[in-house]
Every structure is written in structure tokens, then in C-alpha cells.
Amino acid sequence: MQHFIVIGNPIAHSKSPDLHHTFADSVGLDISYRRQLCPDDKDSFHAVVEAFFNGGGVGANVTLPFKEIAFELCSQTGSLSEYATTAKAVNTLALRDGKLFGDNTDGRGLVADLLDKGVTLQGAHIAIIGAGGATRGAILPLIEQGARLTIFNRTLARAEALKADFEEFGSIDINELHTLKSGDFYADVIINATSATTTGQTLELSDGVRAGFAYDMMYGKPSEFLAHFDRQGVRCCDGYGMLIQQAKLAFELWTGKRIDLDKVDWDKYINNKINS
């Protein structure tokens, strides 16, 4: 049996155990995947990671509020993928040559979900609202797909700093978020990468803000962001598919097994969620 965990605080809501057990069933692997609540401090996180891998653990997912701490730990004691390096955050931990390896599968999970839904990214103008960690993780995978990016953020300085960090990969346009409160704007794809949906905040988009496809990285709660575009008849989607796709990439990294989502028993996954 191979052992995996997801580390976070809070963590009881995590769907990762059900997802990864369902993936394992689809490829005939026997695994244990559990939630690990960790006190919200750096030393506790380091202790949990050390104890898990020293005890024979194979892989760990990292969720809020520890992604940046995981990045620092791998920077100091191990190695990082290019995606984790540019995101400055780690959501997947493994061992390589006895040392920690940190990856970030969030942005590639987003891209995989968009492509799976038939969204064209090559040559597309994609607008992202927010300049935090979720956006940082998405930029490189989107640029690799040939997309042209515009980022809107409440604080322009933070968007400018993000733009500077990605200059070597391609040009990014930036604007203050308040410019979307009035006037007209169109993007082929518009993505909400803020926490507004989960916190109940309103982004206050003008009626002139339109898109060919609208995507909210958050899921599980009503989205005023998506409601804005739904009223216009725009195709909309939340981030549940991104959750599945980023988990798939982590599982494949750990096990070397390719997951065919069309062959996964999603009825069993749904039943596991209901009974868990």
C-alpha cells in the first residue's frame, strides 16, 4: 500500500481523498490517502512533512495556507519544477533522490480543464481578475498554450510586480480592477482568480464587460462573477474541473500511472463523497 496525505488548515472539507482513491481504483492501485490538519505555522508544517516522508510516505498535496511555506522548504532543502518556481507556491510534494521535490499542478489543471471543455487557448485573449497566487500559478501554463494575457487587480503595484516576474516568458498587459466597473471590455476568456466567490464579495463588473467564455476558479458556492456573464448568455464554468485535473497531474507524478478520466468510476466517487 502506498501512503499519501493532503496538508492544510482547515482540511475537513478537502475532496482530495475521494478523488485520489477513485483514481487509484481506476488503475488497480492500493493506496491510503488521508487529510492531515496542521497548526498554522512554519515549524509545524516542516515537522508534518518530515514525519510523513521519513515514515515511508510517497506523496503529499499542500493546500491553504501552506503553499508558500512548501515552496520555501523545497527551495532550501530540495528542488522545484519550473511551474512551482514561477508560481512561488507548491501544491504537490514528492521525493526525488531522497530529497523533497515541489511541483505546482494548479495552472496546468486549469489549462487541461479549459481544453477539455473545448476552449481555444492558442491566440486567445485571456483576462484574469486578481494577481495573487492562483493567477501566478496559471500564467506560465496559459502562455505555453499561446494565449495573450491581461491581468486586472485592485492594486496596480502587485500586478506590476507579477508582470516583471514573467517578462522572460512573454508580455502581459495589466490594468486596475476599477476599470471594469465602467466602459466596455471584451476577452475571449475571462477568469476570476480572486476569492470573491468564497468570501461573498462583489467584483462590480459593468454591463459592457463581455467575454466568449467565463471561468471562476472557485467552486461550490454561487458565483456573482459567473451570474454576470450568464445573464449575457455567455458559456460559464466553475473550477471543479480544475480541481480534478490538478489532482490527476499530482497522482500521475507520484505513481507513474496515467489516469484516463473517461474510465474513472465517477458514480463511485459521488457515492464516496456522500458517505464520507
Side-chain angles (χ1 to χ4, degrees), residues 212-227:
F213 185 89
Y215 192 99
D216 195 328
M217 287 191 185
M218 303 299 110
Y219 62 92
K221 290 188 176 182
S223 169
E224 282 298 320
F225 169 80
L226 293 182

Side-chain angles (χ1 to χ4, degrees), residues 51-65:
F52 174 70
F53 284 106
N54 284 345
V58 175
N61 283 133
V62 181
T63 188
L64 297 175

Side-chain angles (χ1 to χ4, degrees), residues 4 15-31 33 61 105 240-266 268-270 272:
F4 306 89
K15 296 178 174 61
S16 291
D18 294 332
L19 270 175
H20 285 278
H21 280 121
T22 304
F23 289 161
D25 286 346
S26 75
V27 293
L29 287 182
D30 185 18
I31 73 165
Y33 189 115
N61 283 133
T105 64
Y240 192 67
M242 175 180 171
L243 170 75
I244 293 171
Q245 294 284 0
Q246 64 81 25
K248 172 182 177 289
L249 290 168
F251 188 91
E252 292 173 343
L253 170 69
W254 294 327
T255 66
K257 300 286 188 179
R258 183 182 177 277
I259 299 298
D260 184 343
L261 294 178
D262 291 332
K263 296 181 179 179
V264 170
D265 187 348
W266 293 111
K268 183 175 182 179
Y269 167 66
I270 292 170
N272 284 341

Side-chain angles (χ1 to χ4, degrees), residues 8 229 239 276:
F229 293 99
S276 62

Side-chain angles (χ1 to χ4, degrees), residues 131-195:
T135 296
R136 183 175 285 277
I139 289 176
L140 180 57
L142 287 171
I143 289 177
E144 287 179 334
Q145 292 294 318
R148 178 169 57 90
L149 304 183
T150 298
I151 294 173
F152 293 87
N153 196 56
R154 296 185 192 279
T155 306
L156 193 59
R158 187 170 188 180
E160 289 173 338
L162 189 149
K163 177 180 179 177
D165 285 346
F166 284 89
E167 278 184 340
E168 65 180 288
F169 300 103
S171 177
I172 299 172
D173 294 328
I174 58 173
N175 284 288
E176 290 183 294
L177 182 57
H178 74 81
T179 61
L180 294 181
K181 292 182 180 180
S182 61
D184 297 334
F185 176 80
Y186 178 85
D188 298 309
V189 181
I190 188 164
I191 299 170
N192 176 31
T194 74
S195 59

Side-chain angles (χ1 to χ4, degrees), residues 25-75:
D25 286 346
S26 75
V27 293
L29 287 182
D30 185 18
I31 73 165
S32 169
Y33 189 115
R34 60 183 175 84
R35 302 173 183 91
Q36 179 63 59
L37 179 67
C38 179
D40 187 4
D41 65 83
K42 184 183 298 186
D43 290 341
S44 295
F45 178 79
H46 288 187
V48 166
V49 171
E50 183 177 4
F52 174 70
F53 284 106
N54 284 345
V58 175
N61 283 133
V62 181
T63 188
L64 297 175
F66 300 114
K67 292 184 181 182
E68 288 77 17
I69 295 175
F71 170 78
E72 293 174 4
L73 179 61
C74 292
S75 298

